[in-house]
PDB file of all heavy atoms in Angstrom:
ATOM      1  N   THR D   1    -105.887 117.608 148.275  1.00 59.00           N
ATOM      2  CA  THR D   1    -104.710 117.139 147.603  1.00 59.00           C
ATOM      3  C   THR D   1    -104.242 115.784 148.080  1.00 59.00           C
ATOM      4  O   THR D   1    -103.284 115.230 147.579  1.00 59.00           O
ATOM      5  CB  THR D   1    -103.518 118.120 147.824  1.00 59.00           C
ATOM      6  OG1 THR D   1    -103.323 118.316 149.197  1.00 59.00           O
ATOM      7  CG2 THR D   1    -103.820 119.464 147.154  1.00 59.00           C
ATOM      8  N   GLN D   2    -104.969 115.227 149.108  1.00 69.00           N
ATOM      9  CA  GLN D   2    -104.604 113.882 149.622  1.00 69.00           C
ATOM     10  C   GLN D   2    -104.908 112.843 148.521  1.00 69.00           C
ATOM     11  O   GLN D   2    -105.982 112.864 147.920  1.00 69.00           O
ATOM     12  CB  GLN D   2    -105.353 113.547 150.871  1.00 69.00           C
ATOM     13  CG  GLN D   2    -104.964 114.468 152.027  1.00 69.00           C
ATOM     14  CD  GLN D   2    -105.794 114.107 153.246  1.00 69.00           C
ATOM     15  OE1 GLN D   2    -106.750 113.372 153.193  1.00 69.00           O
ATOM     16  NE2 GLN D   2    -105.449 114.661 154.404  1.00 69.00           N
ATOM     17  N   VAL D   3    -103.919 111.951 148.292  1.00 73.00           N
ATOM     18  CA  VAL D   3    -104.160 110.908 147.329  1.00 73.00           C
ATOM     19  C   VAL D   3    -104.662 109.642 148.075  1.00 73.00           C
ATOM     20  O   VAL D   3    -104.029 109.196 149.035  1.00 73.00           O
ATOM     21  CB  VAL D   3    -102.897 110.570 146.557  1.00 73.00           C
ATOM     22  CG1 VAL D   3    -103.117 109.441 145.618  1.00 73.00           C
ATOM     23  CG2 VAL D   3    -102.389 111.828 145.833  1.00 73.00           C
ATOM     24  N   VAL D   4    -105.815 109.147 147.696  1.00 78.00           N
ATOM     25  CA  VAL D   4    -106.386 107.970 148.364  1.00 78.00           C
ATOM     26  C   VAL D   4    -106.462 106.836 147.386  1.00 78.00           C
ATOM     27  O   VAL D   4    -106.857 106.925 146.281  1.00 78.00           O
ATOM     28  CB  VAL D   4    -107.846 108.304 148.864  1.00 78.00           C
ATOM     29  CG1 VAL D   4    -108.458 107.093 149.558  1.00 78.00           C
ATOM     30  CG2 VAL D   4    -107.774 109.493 149.834  1.00 78.00           C
ATOM     31  N   ASP D   5    -106.025 105.666 147.907  1.00 89.00           N
ATOM     32  CA  ASP D   5    -106.068 104.394 147.083  1.00 89.00           C
ATOM     33  C   ASP D   5    -107.529 104.122 146.837  1.00 89.00           C
ATOM     34  O   ASP D   5    -108.349 103.970 147.775  1.00 89.00           O
ATOM     35  CB  ASP D   5    -105.366 103.287 147.844  1.00 89.00           C
ATOM     36  CG  ASP D   5    -105.413 101.971 147.102  1.00 89.00           C
ATOM     37  OD1 ASP D   5    -105.665 101.990 145.857  1.00 89.00           O
ATOM     38  OD2 ASP D   5    -105.214 100.941 147.769  1.00 89.00           O
ATOM     39  N   PRO D   6    -107.987 103.962 145.527  1.00 88.00           N
ATOM     40  CA  PRO D   6    -109.350 103.746 145.253  1.00 88.00           C
ATOM     41  C   PRO D   6    -109.864 102.366 145.787  1.00 88.00           C
ATOM     42  O   PRO D   6    -111.101 102.225 145.940  1.00 88.00           O
ATOM     43  CB  PRO D   6    -109.425 103.750 143.734  1.00 88.00           C
ATOM     44  CG  PRO D   6    -108.067 103.734 143.241  1.00 88.00           C
ATOM     45  CD  PRO D   6    -107.150 104.112 144.345  1.00 88.00           C
ATOM     46  N   ASP D   7    -108.974 101.449 146.097  1.00 92.00           N
ATOM     47  CA  ASP D   7    -109.408 100.160 146.648  1.00 92.00           C
ATOM     48  C   ASP D   7    -109.415 100.094 148.172  1.00 92.00           C
ATOM     49  O   ASP D   7    -109.750  99.124 148.767  1.00 92.00           O
ATOM     50  CB  ASP D   7    -108.537  99.077 146.069  1.00 92.00           C
ATOM     51  CG  ASP D   7    -108.683  98.956 144.561  1.00 92.00           C
ATOM     52  OD1 ASP D   7    -109.833  99.119 144.095  1.00 92.00           O
ATOM     53  OD2 ASP D   7    -107.670  98.599 143.876  1.00 92.00           O
ATOM     54  N   LYS D   8    -108.993 101.197 148.757  1.00 94.00           N
ATOM     55  CA  LYS D   8    -108.919 101.295 150.238  1.00 94.00           C
ATOM     56  C   LYS D   8    -110.330 101.326 150.759  1.00 94.00           C
ATOM     57  O   LYS D   8    -111.230 102.072 150.345  1.00 94.00           O
ATOM     58  CB  LYS D   8    -108.155 102.494 150.756  1.00 94.00           C
ATOM     59  CG  LYS D   8    -108.053 102.579 152.213  1.00 94.00           C
ATOM     60  CD  LYS D   8    -107.274 103.836 152.616  1.00 94.00           C
ATOM     61  CE  LYS D   8    -107.206 103.869 154.155  1.00 94.00           C
ATOM     62  NZ  LYS D   8    -106.624 105.119 154.628  1.00 94.00           N
ATOM     63  N   LYS D   9    -110.605 100.522 151.867  1.00 94.00           N
ATOM     64  CA  LYS D   9    -111.922 100.514 152.541  1.00 94.00           C
ATOM     65  C   LYS D   9    -112.032 101.740 153.390  1.00 94.00           C
ATOM     66  O   LYS D   9    -111.153 101.975 154.202  1.00 94.00           O
ATOM     67  CB  LYS D   9    -112.058  99.218 153.314  1.00 94.00           C
ATOM     68  CG  LYS D   9    -113.403  99.018 153.967  1.00 94.00           C
ATOM     69  CD  LYS D   9    -113.444  97.679 154.665  1.00 94.00           C
ATOM     70  CE  LYS D   9    -114.764  97.445 155.305  1.00 94.00           C
ATOM     71  NZ  LYS D   9    -114.781  96.169 155.997  1.00 94.00           N
ATOM     72  N   VAL D  10    -113.194 102.455 153.234  1.00 94.00           N
ATOM     73  CA  VAL D  10    -113.427 103.643 154.063  1.00 94.00           C
ATOM     74  C   VAL D  10    -114.758 103.498 154.683  1.00 94.00           C
ATOM     75  O   VAL D  10    -115.774 103.129 153.990  1.00 94.00           O
ATOM     76  CB  VAL D  10    -113.408 104.896 153.146  1.00 94.00           C
ATOM     77  CG1 VAL D  10    -113.682 106.122 153.961  1.00 94.00           C
ATOM     78  CG2 VAL D  10    -112.075 105.032 152.426  1.00 94.00           C
ATOM     79  N   CYS D  11    -114.829 103.723 155.962  1.00 95.00           N
ATOM     80  CA  CYS D  11    -116.078 103.588 156.684  1.00 95.00           C
ATOM     81  C   CYS D  11    -116.586 104.960 157.146  1.00 95.00           C
ATOM     82  O   CYS D  11    -115.780 105.806 157.563  1.00 95.00           O
ATOM     83  CB  CYS D  11    -115.963 102.673 157.854  1.00 95.00           C
ATOM     84  SG  CYS D  11    -115.541 100.946 157.437  1.00 95.00           S
ATOM     85  N   ARG D  12    -117.897 105.188 157.118  1.00 94.00           N
ATOM     86  CA  ARG D  12    -118.519 106.371 157.587  1.00 94.00           C
ATOM     87  C   ARG D  12    -119.657 106.011 158.492  1.00 94.00           C
ATOM     88  O   ARG D  12    -120.216 104.914 158.401  1.00 94.00           O
ATOM     89  CB  ARG D  12    -119.093 107.179 156.424  1.00 94.00           C
ATOM     90  CG  ARG D  12    -118.099 107.693 155.449  1.00 94.00           C
ATOM     91  CD  ARG D  12    -118.817 108.474 154.355  1.00 94.00           C
ATOM     92  NE  ARG D  12    -117.880 108.931 153.312  1.00 94.00           N
ATOM     93  CZ  ARG D  12    -118.328 109.556 152.176  1.00 94.00           C
ATOM     94  NH1 ARG D  12    -119.565 109.814 152.022  1.00 94.00           N
ATOM     95  NH2 ARG D  12    -117.390 109.931 151.344  1.00 94.00           N
ATOM     96  N   PHE D  13    -120.043 106.944 159.397  1.00 94.00           N
ATOM     97  CA  PHE D  13    -121.230 106.742 160.183  1.00 94.00           C
ATOM     98  C   PHE D  13    -122.333 107.605 159.606  1.00 94.00           C
ATOM     99  O   PHE D  13    -122.166 108.794 159.396  1.00 94.00           O
ATOM    100  CB  PHE D  13    -120.946 107.115 161.650  1.00 94.00           C
ATOM    101  CG  PHE D  13    -120.056 106.120 162.351  1.00 94.00           C
ATOM    102  CD1 PHE D  13    -118.735 106.312 162.410  1.00 94.00           C
ATOM    103  CD2 PHE D  13    -120.643 104.977 162.939  1.00 94.00           C
ATOM    104  CE1 PHE D  13    -117.951 105.359 163.094  1.00 94.00           C
ATOM    105  CE2 PHE D  13    -119.866 104.079 163.557  1.00 94.00           C
ATOM    106  CZ  PHE D  13    -118.518 104.234 163.669  1.00 94.00           C
ATOM    107  N   GLU D  14    -123.491 106.965 159.375  1.00 91.00           N
ATOM    108  CA  GLU D  14    -124.637 107.641 158.849  1.00 91.00           C
ATOM    109  C   GLU D  14    -125.869 107.412 159.671  1.00 91.00           C
ATOM    110  O   GLU D  14    -126.024 106.306 160.240  1.00 91.00           O
ATOM    111  CB  GLU D  14    -124.885 107.217 157.374  1.00 91.00           C
ATOM    112  CG  GLU D  14    -123.744 107.516 156.400  1.00 91.00           C
ATOM    113  CD  GLU D  14    -124.028 107.093 155.018  1.00 91.00           C
ATOM    114  OE1 GLU D  14    -125.048 106.374 154.777  1.00 91.00           O
ATOM    115  OE2 GLU D  14    -123.318 107.515 154.146  1.00 91.00           O
ATOM    116  N   ALA D  15    -126.772 108.362 159.791  1.00 90.00           N
ATOM    117  CA  ALA D  15    -128.011 108.221 160.505  1.00 90.00           C
ATOM    118  C   ALA D  15    -129.096 108.093 159.459  1.00 90.00           C
ATOM    119  O   ALA D  15    -129.451 109.040 158.794  1.00 90.00           O
ATOM    120  CB  ALA D  15    -128.236 109.376 161.435  1.00 90.00           C
ATOM    121  N   PRO D  16    -129.706 106.886 159.345  1.00 87.00           N
ATOM    122  CA  PRO D  16    -130.806 106.713 158.380  1.00 87.00           C
ATOM    123  C   PRO D  16    -131.966 107.611 158.739  1.00 87.00           C
ATOM    124  O   PRO D  16    -132.187 107.931 159.857  1.00 87.00           O
ATOM    125  CB  PRO D  16    -131.174 105.243 158.521  1.00 87.00           C
ATOM    126  CG  PRO D  16    -130.015 104.578 159.175  1.00 87.00           C
ATOM    127  CD  PRO D  16    -129.360 105.614 160.033  1.00 87.00           C
ATOM    128  N   THR D  17    -132.712 108.035 157.727  1.00 89.00           N
ATOM    129  CA  THR D  17    -133.885 108.856 157.947  1.00 89.00           C
ATOM    130  C   THR D  17    -134.851 108.201 158.901  1.00 89.00           C
ATOM    131  O   THR D  17    -135.197 107.016 158.765  1.00 89.00           O
ATOM    132  CB  THR D  17    -134.599 109.156 156.611  1.00 89.00           C
ATOM    133  OG1 THR D  17    -133.649 109.741 155.724  1.00 89.00           O
ATOM    134  CG2 THR D  17    -135.806 110.044 156.821  1.00 89.00           C
ATOM    135  N   GLY D  18    -135.269 108.942 159.874  1.00 89.00           N
ATOM    136  CA  GLY D  18    -136.262 108.409 160.914  1.00 89.00           C
ATOM    137  C   GLY D  18    -135.577 107.679 162.039  1.00 89.00           C
ATOM    138  O   GLY D  18    -136.238 107.140 162.908  1.00 89.00           O
ATOM    139  N   SER D  19    -134.289 107.678 162.108  1.00 88.00           N
ATOM    140  CA  SER D  19    -133.585 107.011 163.188  1.00 88.00           C
ATOM    141  C   SER D  19    -132.537 107.988 163.831  1.00 88.00           C
ATOM    142  O   SER D  19    -131.954 108.799 163.135  1.00 88.00           O
ATOM    143  CB  SER D  19    -132.825 105.795 162.655  1.00 88.00           C
ATOM    144  OG  SER D  19    -132.068 105.229 163.639  1.00 88.00           O
ATOM    145  N   ILE D  20    -132.377 107.811 165.123  1.00 87.00           N
ATOM    146  CA  ILE D  20    -131.303 108.627 165.752  1.00 87.00           C
ATOM    147  C   ILE D  20    -130.033 107.818 165.964  1.00 87.00           C
ATOM    148  O   ILE D  20    -129.043 108.299 166.407  1.00 87.00           O
ATOM    149  CB  ILE D  20    -131.779 109.210 167.159  1.00 87.00           C
ATOM    150  CG1 ILE D  20    -132.232 108.060 168.055  1.00 87.00           C
ATOM    151  CG2 ILE D  20    -132.908 110.194 166.878  1.00 87.00           C
ATOM    152  CD1 ILE D  20    -132.486 108.546 169.475  1.00 87.00           C
ATOM    153  N   MET D  21    -130.158 106.514 165.666  1.00 91.00           N
ATOM    154  CA  MET D  21    -128.967 105.617 165.799  1.00 91.00           C
ATOM    155  C   MET D  21    -128.097 105.683 164.540  1.00 91.00           C
ATOM    156  O   MET D  21    -128.609 105.505 163.393  1.00 91.00           O
ATOM    157  CB  MET D  21    -129.443 104.214 166.021  1.00 91.00           C
ATOM    158  CG  MET D  21    -130.252 103.989 167.292  1.00 91.00           C
ATOM    159  SD  MET D  21    -129.311 104.277 168.745  1.00 91.00           S
ATOM    160  CE  MET D  21    -128.069 102.998 168.616  1.00 91.00           C
ATOM    161  N   ARG D  22    -126.862 106.004 164.716  1.00 92.00           N
ATOM    162  CA  ARG D  22    -125.935 106.044 163.582  1.00 92.00           C
ATOM    163  C   ARG D  22    -125.547 104.571 163.235  1.00 92.00           C
ATOM    164  O   ARG D  22    -125.437 103.738 164.096  1.00 92.00           O
ATOM    165  CB  ARG D  22    -124.669 106.873 163.942  1.00 92.00           C
ATOM    166  CG  ARG D  22    -125.036 108.300 164.150  1.00 92.00           C
ATOM    167  CD  ARG D  22    -123.845 109.155 164.335  1.00 92.00           C
ATOM    168  NE  ARG D  22    -122.655 108.507 164.866  1.00 92.00           N
ATOM    169  CZ  ARG D  22    -121.422 108.999 164.762  1.00 92.00           C
ATOM    170  NH1 ARG D  22    -121.223 110.109 164.181  1.00 92.00           N
ATOM    171  NH2 ARG D  22    -120.414 108.354 165.248  1.00 92.00           N
ATOM    172  N   LYS D  23    -125.318 104.373 161.905  1.00 93.00           N
ATOM    173  CA  LYS D  23    -124.982 103.082 161.431  1.00 93.00           C
ATOM    174  C   LYS D  23    -123.631 103.182 160.677  1.00 93.00           C
ATOM    175  O   LYS D  23    -123.399 104.154 159.888  1.00 93.00           O
ATOM    176  CB  LYS D  23    -126.071 102.601 160.430  1.00 93.00           C
ATOM    177  CG  LYS D  23    -125.817 101.275 159.831  1.00 93.00           C
ATOM    178  CD  LYS D  23    -127.005 100.931 158.913  1.00 93.00           C
ATOM    179  CE  LYS D  23    -126.759  99.583 158.226  1.00 93.00           C
ATOM    180  NZ  LYS D  23    -127.782  99.241 157.257  1.00 93.00           N
ATOM    181  N   ARG D  24    -122.778 102.219 160.865  1.00 95.00           N
ATOM    182  CA  ARG D  24    -121.481 102.237 160.186  1.00 95.00           C
ATOM    183  C   ARG D  24    -121.678 101.691 158.790  1.00 95.00           C
ATOM    184  O   ARG D  24    -122.169 100.578 158.670  1.00 95.00           O
ATOM    185  CB  ARG D  24    -120.471 101.437 160.981  1.00 95.00           C
ATOM    186  CG  ARG D  24    -119.070 101.489 160.402  1.00 95.00           C
ATOM    187  CD  ARG D  24    -118.121 100.714 161.335  1.00 95.00           C
ATOM    188  NE  ARG D  24    -116.817 100.709 160.678  1.00 95.00           N
ATOM    189  CZ  ARG D  24    -115.776 100.174 161.200  1.00 95.00           C
ATOM    190  NH1 ARG D  24    -115.845  99.549 162.354  1.00 95.00           N
ATOM    191  NH2 ARG D  24    -114.604 100.201 160.592  1.00 95.00           N
ATOM    192  N   VAL D  25    -121.265 102.444 157.768  1.00 94.00           N
ATOM    193  CA  VAL D  25    -121.352 102.010 156.406  1.00 94.00           C
ATOM    194  C   VAL D  25    -119.947 102.009 155.793  1.00 94.00           C
ATOM    195  O   VAL D  25    -119.264 102.998 155.871  1.00 94.00           O
ATOM    196  CB  VAL D  25    -122.318 102.911 155.594  1.00 94.00           C
ATOM    197  CG1 VAL D  25    -122.435 102.476 154.154  1.00 94.00           C
ATOM    198  CG2 VAL D  25    -123.654 103.003 156.273  1.00 94.00           C
ATOM    199  N   CYS D  26    -119.568 100.906 155.172  1.00 95.00           N
ATOM    200  CA  CYS D  26    -118.192 100.782 154.656  1.00 95.00           C
ATOM    201  C   CYS D  26    -118.280 100.511 153.104  1.00 95.00           C
ATOM    202  O   CYS D  26    -119.058  99.639 152.677  1.00 95.00           O
ATOM    203  CB  CYS D  26    -117.383  99.682 155.330  1.00 95.00           C
ATOM    204  SG  CYS D  26    -117.187  99.964 157.065  1.00 95.00           S
ATOM    205  N   HIS D  27    -117.450 101.198 152.366  1.00 95.00           N
ATOM    206  CA  HIS D  27    -117.333 101.003 150.914  1.00 95.00           C
ATOM    207  C   HIS D  27    -115.840 101.355 150.606  1.00 95.00           C
ATOM    208  O   HIS D  27    -115.093 101.846 151.383  1.00 95.00           O
ATOM    209  CB  HIS D  27    -118.210 101.896 150.117  1.00 95.00           C
ATOM    210  CG  HIS D  27    -119.670 101.623 150.264  1.00 95.00           C
ATOM    211  ND1 HIS D  27    -120.285 100.583 149.623  1.00 95.00           N
ATOM    212  CD2 HIS D  27    -120.631 102.307 150.899  1.00 95.00           C
ATOM    213  CE1 HIS D  27    -121.556 100.602 149.949  1.00 95.00           C
ATOM    214  NE2 HIS D  27    -121.826 101.626 150.686  1.00 95.00           N
ATOM    215  N   THR D  28    -115.460 100.978 149.380  1.00 95.00           N
ATOM    216  CA  THR D  28    -114.109 101.447 148.925  1.00 95.00           C
ATOM    217  C   THR D  28    -114.183 102.921 148.595  1.00 95.00           C
ATOM    218  O   THR D  28    -115.199 103.494 148.444  1.00 95.00           O
ATOM    219  CB  THR D  28    -113.659 100.644 147.680  1.00 95.00           C
ATOM    220  OG1 THR D  28    -114.523 100.962 146.601  1.00 95.00           O
ATOM    221  CG2 THR D  28    -113.673  99.163 147.866  1.00 95.00           C
ATOM    222  N   ALA D  29    -112.991 103.507 148.512  1.00 93.00           N
ATOM    223  CA  ALA D  29    -112.902 104.954 148.190  1.00 93.00           C
ATOM    224  C   ALA D  29    -113.518 105.237 146.833  1.00 93.00           C
ATOM    225  O   ALA D  29    -114.233 106.252 146.679  1.00 93.00           O
ATOM    226  CB  ALA D  29    -111.446 105.432 148.210  1.00 93.00           C
ATOM    227  N   ALA D  30    -113.345 104.371 145.889  1.00 93.00           N
ATOM    228  CA  ALA D  30    -113.954 104.549 144.524  1.00 93.00           C
ATOM    229  C   ALA D  30    -115.454 104.509 144.621  1.00 93.00           C
ATOM    230  O   ALA D  30    -116.148 105.293 143.931  1.00 93.00           O
ATOM    231  CB  ALA D  30    -113.442 103.494 143.560  1.00 93.00           C
ATOM    232  N   GLU D  31    -116.017 103.591 145.391  1.00 93.00           N
ATOM    233  CA  GLU D  31    -117.468 103.492 145.563  1.00 93.00           C
ATOM    234  C   GLU D  31    -118.045 104.710 146.222  1.00 93.00           C
ATOM    235  O   GLU D  31    -119.106 105.233 145.848  1.00 93.00           O
ATOM    236  CB  GLU D  31    -117.817 102.221 146.382  1.00 93.00           C
ATOM    237  CG  GLU D  31    -117.631 100.909 145.593  1.00 93.00           C
ATOM    238  CD  GLU D  31    -117.779  99.685 146.497  1.00 93.00           C
ATOM    239  OE1 GLU D  31    -117.554  99.795 147.734  1.00 93.00           O
ATOM    240  OE2 GLU D  31    -118.082  98.647 145.897  1.00 93.00           O
ATOM    241  N   TRP D  32    -117.334 105.229 147.276  1.00 92.00           N
ATOM    242  CA  TRP D  32    -117.798 106.424 147.940  1.00 92.00           C
ATOM    243  C   TRP D  32    -117.801 107.623 146.976  1.00 92.00           C
ATOM    244  O   TRP D  32    -118.670 108.450 147.021  1.00 92.00           O
ATOM    245  CB  TRP D  32    -116.904 106.760 149.155  1.00 92.00           C
ATOM    246  CG  TRP D  32    -117.278 106.031 150.405  1.00 92.00           C
ATOM    247  CD1 TRP D  32    -116.453 105.191 151.128  1.00 92.00           C
ATOM    248  CD2 TRP D  32    -118.557 106.058 151.082  1.00 92.00           C
ATOM    249  NE1 TRP D  32    -117.140 104.683 152.183  1.00 92.00           N
ATOM    250  CE2 TRP D  32    -118.422 105.191 152.174  1.00 92.00           C
ATOM    251  CE3 TRP D  32    -119.747 106.646 150.841  1.00 92.00           C
ATOM    252  CZ2 TRP D  32    -119.490 104.985 153.062  1.00 92.00           C
ATOM    253  CZ3 TRP D  32    -120.775 106.432 151.731  1.00 92.00           C
ATOM    254  CH2 TRP D  32    -120.674 105.613 152.791  1.00 92.00           C
ATOM    255  N   LYS D  33    -116.792 107.691 146.116  1.00 92.00           N
ATOM    256  CA  LYS D  33    -116.763 108.761 145.112  1.00 92.00           C
ATOM    257  C   LYS D  33    -117.987 108.677 144.192  1.00 92.00           C
ATOM    258  O   LYS D  33    -118.598 109.745 143.897  1.00 92.00           O
ATOM    259  CB  LYS D  33    -115.539 108.675 144.267  1.00 92.00           C
ATOM    260  CG  LYS D  33    -115.241 109.855 143.374  1.00 92.00           C
ATOM    261  CD  LYS D  33    -113.909 109.771 142.701  1.00 92.00           C
ATOM    262  CE  LYS D  33    -113.649 110.973 141.823  1.00 92.00           C
ATOM    263  NZ  LYS D  33    -112.351 110.938 141.182  1.00 92.00           N
ATOM    264  N   LEU D  34    -118.368 107.525 143.759  1.00 92.00           N
ATOM    265  CA  LEU D  34    -119.567 107.356 142.933  1.00 92.00           C
ATOM    266  C   LEU D  34    -120.846 107.722 143.686  1.00 92.00           C
ATOM    267  O   LEU D  34    -121.720 108.387 143.193  1.00 92.00           O
ATOM    268  CB  LEU D  34    -119.675 105.888 142.439  1.00 92.00           C
ATOM    269  CG  LEU D  34    -118.684 105.550 141.375  1.00 92.00           C
ATOM    270  CD1 LEU D  34    -118.776 104.003 141.085  1.00 92.00           C
ATOM    271  CD2 LEU D  34    -118.947 106.278 140.046  1.00 92.00           C
ATOM    272  N   ILE D  35    -120.940 107.296 144.970  1.00 90.00           N
ATOM    273  CA  ILE D  35    -122.093 107.576 145.818  1.00 90.00           C
ATOM    274  C   ILE D  35    -122.242 109.064 146.006  1.00 90.00           C
ATOM    275  O   ILE D  35    -123.314 109.650 145.898  1.00 90.00           O
ATOM    276  CB  ILE D  35    -121.992 106.826 147.134  1.00 90.00           C
ATOM    277  CG1 ILE D  35    -122.113 105.332 146.885  1.00 90.00           C
ATOM    278  CG2 ILE D  35    -123.004 107.344 148.129  1.00 90.00           C
ATOM    279  CD1 ILE D  35    -121.783 104.453 148.115  1.00 90.00           C
ATOM    280  N   ASP D  36    -121.089 109.701 146.287  1.00 90.00           N
ATOM    281  CA  ASP D  36    -121.126 111.173 146.555  1.00 90.00           C
ATOM    282  C   ASP D  36    -121.502 111.936 145.297  1.00 90.00           C
ATOM    283  O   ASP D  36    -122.229 112.869 145.318  1.00 90.00           O
ATOM    284  CB  ASP D  36    -119.747 111.666 147.052  1.00 90.00           C
ATOM    285  CG  ASP D  36    -119.457 111.183 148.533  1.00 90.00           C
ATOM    286  OD1 ASP D  36    -120.441 110.778 149.195  1.00 90.00           O
ATOM    287  OD2 ASP D  36    -118.288 111.145 148.883  1.00 90.00           O
TER     288      ASP D  36
END
């Protein structure tokens, strides 16, 4: 139920395949919705 501004920058930490090092990936909330 949380309302998020679609233009707000949101960062996540992801571990690319084959790596144990997490990488910070940032997109807008709208872009994350499309990616998900």
Side-chain angles (χ1 to χ4, degrees):
T1 59
Q2 293 178 352
V3 177
V4 178
D5 178 19
D7 295 325
K8 181 180 178 185
K9 184 177 180 181
V10 179
C11 296
R12 297 181 184 175
F13 286 95
E14 297 181 348
T17 303
S19 174
I20 59 170
M21 297 295 296
R22 295 185 335 158
K23 181 179 175 184
R24 185 176 178 181
V25 181
C26 299
H27 293 285
T28 65
E31 290 171 334
W32 278 121
K33 188 174 181 178
L34 289 172
I35 292 167
D36 291 341

